Amino acid sequence: MRFIYLESRSHHFHWMKAEAFQLEDFDRDMVGEHLLVAELDDKVVGFVSS
């Protein structure tokens, strides 16, 4: 999920430098969140948080 989060942020916030995003951002940003995970063939393919 960390990689999906990083890739999504890098793609959608294209005006920011790639160095602004780190895998660890997911850990910080998900504190206190509830996660629903989408899997396909035992592989995480997406998630949503609230």
Side-chain angles (χ1 to χ4, degrees):
M1 288 185 292
R2 292 166 100 201
F3 183 73
I4 294 170
Y5 190 67
L6 177 64
E7 287 294 311
S8 177
R9 292 177 80 212
S10 297
H11 177 77
H12 292 287
F13 296 101
H14 53 84
W15 60 88
M16 296 181 69
K17 293 183 180 181
E19 299 82 29
F21 305 112
Q22 303 296 319
L23 283 174
E24 294 78 14
D25 294 343
F26 177 83
D27 303 330
R28 181 197 66 231
D29 295 343
M30 293 301 123
V31 171
E33 294 286 315
H34 295 279
L35 295 174
L36 296 175
V37 179
E39 294 182 3
L40 180 63
D41 297 327
D42 295 323
K43 181 178 179 181
V44 174
V45 293
F47 68 92
V48 63
S49 67
S50 63

